[in-house]
């Protein structure tokens, strides 16, 4: 019998790894569905509840605002209290709030319900991605984390299709649209029951016997537990009870520049993305496209294709190249739409498709970079803060786009979105590292530096191979 021990980063793919990937996908799918269905329902909500442009912007951005709170609060809590305990509770909130939307009597109550849903969404990002990152072997880490973004856009597109089919239900159809989100939320809630705690987190708080039991039961006897213990002790001192975590600890340990990079590139992707996608039917109508809702379903489906493309090339092309190329293309598409407001419907749809393809391909990195660049004891905090900042950007963009286009026209809103893309491209060119060949400990810099402050300038210098950067 072969008793050779294999590090967790190099384990062969198992049934458990596949289960981790599937259950982690529940949050992003529900995220995409919850954020997408509001785009289809908004015109009817505005008419029924008399919201106006200001109310439309607030309702469209409400869940994104909640995600800021969820990421900021639950990211550090994930590092302090563990991953698995909150893994199912947030999906229970999805189910309850989705049903409550059906009974919303005014714009304020609908705003508050979706804000609470947003808090649960923001909590799921650091919880689900940290848990998946800490269980998955190196070769699966990038593709699986990227696939979570793919699933997000599958959920977003599915919501468009469901909303399109429900549009003919008559008065109050928007209530059924919003309540339909309870169905996928309940399915993934049931699938997540019984998910074990991360052994890396258990080791970081000194719960060695529990970590050994999880590794033995779920990863098999060939998993090298002793190597995991040595890696963890090199990365951080083992503390009994609650580990040291928080935003201040990120900066004290020298991870501030990486926090800035992850937050900025993410904001510059999602601020244009959610603003454009939330009001995509209205934008297409203003640009002369007939059957804008049907065109939106078609256009949005290319986000799935784009994310799948990003998932396929994230290891071969590399993280840095994928990020720079995607930002260049989607910025150019937005500029094209702004410069040519008189373009034919076919060209407008084509440019929207290019924007969706490119932005979605780069969005595959939103769950990858934060989880690779922060160590175990700070991973939830780093991911949570980056999530929070990104959602403030996306909420601001979603809130301001209808006000901007209402006052200065569609082109002005598209120019601003393109300008945000240019900012993200500049920051990524300066700061984006390459991590795809590295173990989790090396990607975060923990293995080489222990408790010493991180040296981000050396790690992120453009043009250097990953092996030389460390």
């Amino acid at each position: 019998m072969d008793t050779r021990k294999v590090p967790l980063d190099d384990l062969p793919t198992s049934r458990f790894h596949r289960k981790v990937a599937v259950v982690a996908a529940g949050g992003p799918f529900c995220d995409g569905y919850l954020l997408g269905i509001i785009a289809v329902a908004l015109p009817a909500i505005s008419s029924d509840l008399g919201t106006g442009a200001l109310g439309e912007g607030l309702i469209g951005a409400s869940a994104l605002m909640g995600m800021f709170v969820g990421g900021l609060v639950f990211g550090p809590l994930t590092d302090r209290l563990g991953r698995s305990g909150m893994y199912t509770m947030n999906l229970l909130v999805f189910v309850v709030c989705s049903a409550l939307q059906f009974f919303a009597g005014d714009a304020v109550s609908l705003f508050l319900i979706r804000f609470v849903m947003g808090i649960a969404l923001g909590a799921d990002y650091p919880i689900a991605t940290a848990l998946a990152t800490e269980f998955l072997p190196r070769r699966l880490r990038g593709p699986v984390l990227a696939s979570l973004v793919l699933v997000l856009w599958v959920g977003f597109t599915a919501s468009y299709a469901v909303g399109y089919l429900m549009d003919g239900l008559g008065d109050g159809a928007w209530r059924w649209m919003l309540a339909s989100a309870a169905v996928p939320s309940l399915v993934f809630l049931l699938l997540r029951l019984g998910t074990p705690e991360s052994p890396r987190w258990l080791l970081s708080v000194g719960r060695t016997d529990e970590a050994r039991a999880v590794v033995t039961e779920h990863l098999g006897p060939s998993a090298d537990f002793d190597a995991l213990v040595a890696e963890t002790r090199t990365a951080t001192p083992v503390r009994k009870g609650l580990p040291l975590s928080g935003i201040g600890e990120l900066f004290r340990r020298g991870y501030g520049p990486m926090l800035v990079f992850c937050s900025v590139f993410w904001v510059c992707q999602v601020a244009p993305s959610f603003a454009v996608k939330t009001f995509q039917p209205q934008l297409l109508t203003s640009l002369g496209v007939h059957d804008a809702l049907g065109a939106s379903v078609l256009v949005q489906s290319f986000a799935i294709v784009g994310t799948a493309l990003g998932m396929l090339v994230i290891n071969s092309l590399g993280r840095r190249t994928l990020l720079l190329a995607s930002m260049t293309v989607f910025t150019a598409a937005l500029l094209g739409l702004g410069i040519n407001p008189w373009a034919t419907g076919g060209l407008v749809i084509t440019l929207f498709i290019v924007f969706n393809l490119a932005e979605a391909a780069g969005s595959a990195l939103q769950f990858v970079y934060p989880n690779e660049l922060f160590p175990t004891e700070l991973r939830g905090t780093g991911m949570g803060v980056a999530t929070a900042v990104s959602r403030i950007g996306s909420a601001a963009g979603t809130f301001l786009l209808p006000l901007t286009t209402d006052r200065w026209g569609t082109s002005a809103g598209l120019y601003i979105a393109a300008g945000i893309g240019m900012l993200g491209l500049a920051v990524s060119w300066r700061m984006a590292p390459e991590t795809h060949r590295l173990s989790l400990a090396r990607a975060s810099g923990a293995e080489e530096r222990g408790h010493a402050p991180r040296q981000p300038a050396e790690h992120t210098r453009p043009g250097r191979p990953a092996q030389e950067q460390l």
Side-chain angles (χ1 to χ4, degrees):
M1 181 176 178
D2 185 6
T3 58
R4 183 174 61 91
K5 296 294 184 179
V6 181
L8 267 63
D9 272 312
D10 299 315
L11 284 172
T13 303
S14 67
R15 180 180 179 182
F16 176 72
H17 289 138
R18 288 189 284 270
K19 180 182 178 182
V20 166
V22 170
V23 297
F29 181 91
C30 295
D31 179 5
Y33 196 99
L34 292 167
L35 295 175
I37 198 67
I38 194 67
V40 185
L42 261 178
I45 292 172
S46 181
S47 175
D48 194 7
L49 301 182
T51 60
L54 178 62
E56 273 194 358
L58 285 171
I59 291 173
S62 55
L64 299 169
M65 295 176 184
M67 290 181 76
F68 169 77
V69 177
L72 204 61
V73 172
F74 286 93
L77 282 179
T78 299
D79 289 332
R80 292 178 64 82
L81 305 179
R83 286 51 164 132
S84 64
M86 296 179 283
Y87 201 44
T88 54
M89 289 302 296
N90 56 341
L91 281 178
L92 181 60
V93 175
F94 293 175
V95 175
V96 173
C97 288
S98 294
L100 286 176
Q101 290 179 108
F102 183 87
F103 303 99
D106 52 49
V108 174
S109 61
L110 183 58
F111 172 87
L112 291 175
I113 292 169
R114 291 190 61 80
F115 182 82
V116 173
M117 293 171 74
I119 293 175
L121 288 171
D124 194 74
Y125 278 34
I127 298 168
T129 60
L131 198 61
T133 298
E134 291 163 11
F135 271 121
L136 294 171
R138 171 174 26 210
R139 72 185 175 284
L140 294 180
R141 197 168 62 233
V144 169
L145 289 174
S147 76
L148 300 185
V149 186
L150 170 64
V151 172
L152 185 153
W153 292 125
V154 170
F156 204 102
T157 305
S159 73
Y160 265 60
V162 170
Y164 184 69
L165 293 173
M166 288 184 168
D167 192 46
L169 293 179
D171 293 341
W174 64 267
R175 297 181 183 275
W176 293 104
M177 293 179 193
L178 298 185
S180 68
V183 176
S185 300
L186 180 59
V187 170
F188 282 108
L189 169 63
L190 297 175
L191 288 175
R192 283 190 177 184
L193 295 175
T195 303
E197 183 57 84
S198 161
R200 294 179 188 267
W201 182 84
L202 289 169
L203 284 172
S204 75
V205 294
R207 293 160 60 178
T208 305
D209 291 342
E210 294 176 63
R212 187 188 301 275
V214 171
V215 169
T216 301
E217 179 180 355
H218 297 281
L219 298 177
S222 64
D224 194 339
F225 182 73
D226 292 335
L228 179 64
V229 172
E231 174 190 304
T232 302
R233 288 177 177 168
T234 300
T236 185
V238 175
R239 298 177 175 88
K240 297 293 184 181
L242 299 180
L244 182 63
S245 63
I247 301 173
E249 182 68 1
L250 279 171
F251 285 92
R252 189 189 73 79
R253 292 275 299 278
Y255 287 89
M258 287 298 96
L259 181 62
V260 170
F261 161 66
C262 290
S263 299
V264 172
F265 99 78
W266 202 345
V267 165
C268 292
Q269 283 182 333
V270 298
S273 175
F274 279 114
V276 169
K277 290 181 174 70
T278 299
F279 296 100
Q280 199 160 251
Q282 293 94 317
L283 289 171
L284 286 167
T285 298
S286 70
L287 293 171
V289 175
H290 301 293
D291 188 15
L293 185 54
S296 291
V297 176
L298 170 65
V299 167
Q300 186 55 41
S301 67
F302 281 88
I304 299 176
V305 179
T307 316
L309 176 63
M311 183 179 69
L312 291 173
V313 304
I314 195 169
N315 282 344
S316 58
L317 193 62
R319 278 55 158 161
R320 177 180 167 82
T321 301
L322 174 59
L323 182 60
L324 295 177
S326 64
M327 281 193 157
T328 299
V329 175
F330 90 65
T331 300
L334 288 172
L335 282 173
L337 285 166
I339 291 171
N340 293 293
W342 55 85
T344 62
L347 179 57
V348 168
I349 292 174
T350 299
L351 287 173
F352 266 94
I353 288 173
V354 171
F355 166 74
N356 275 270
L357 275 170
E359 188 280 328
S363 72
L365 294 160
Q366 291 167 7
F367 293 163
V368 177
Y369 263 138
N371 282 289
E372 289 186 335
L373 293 175
F374 300 109
T376 298
E377 70 279 11
L378 294 171
R379 183 164 293 118
T381 302
M383 180 67 181
V385 173
T387 297
V389 174
S390 73
R391 265 39 195 181
I392 278 294
S394 55
T398 303
F399 172 67
L400 292 173
L401 182 63
L403 300 179
T404 301
T405 55
D406 187 54
R407 182 166 184 176
W408 292 297
T410 299
S411 290
L414 293 169
Y415 285 143
I416 293 172
I420 295 171
M422 290 179 185
L423 173 62
L425 180 60
V427 171
S428 299
W429 178 264
R430 177 66 185 89
M431 301 186 72
E434 186 52 75
T435 58
H436 78 280
R437 293 189 180 92
L438 308 180
S439 70
L440 196 54
R442 290 190 68 204
S444 68
E447 186 179 77
E448 290 79 8
R449 300 182 180 98
H451 315 301
R454 186 177 174 81
Q455 303 297 325
E458 191 68 15
H459 185 58
T460 60
R461 189 174 299 163
R464 297 185 62 197
Q467 296 89 335
E468 295 178 9
Q469 291 176 347
L470 289 166

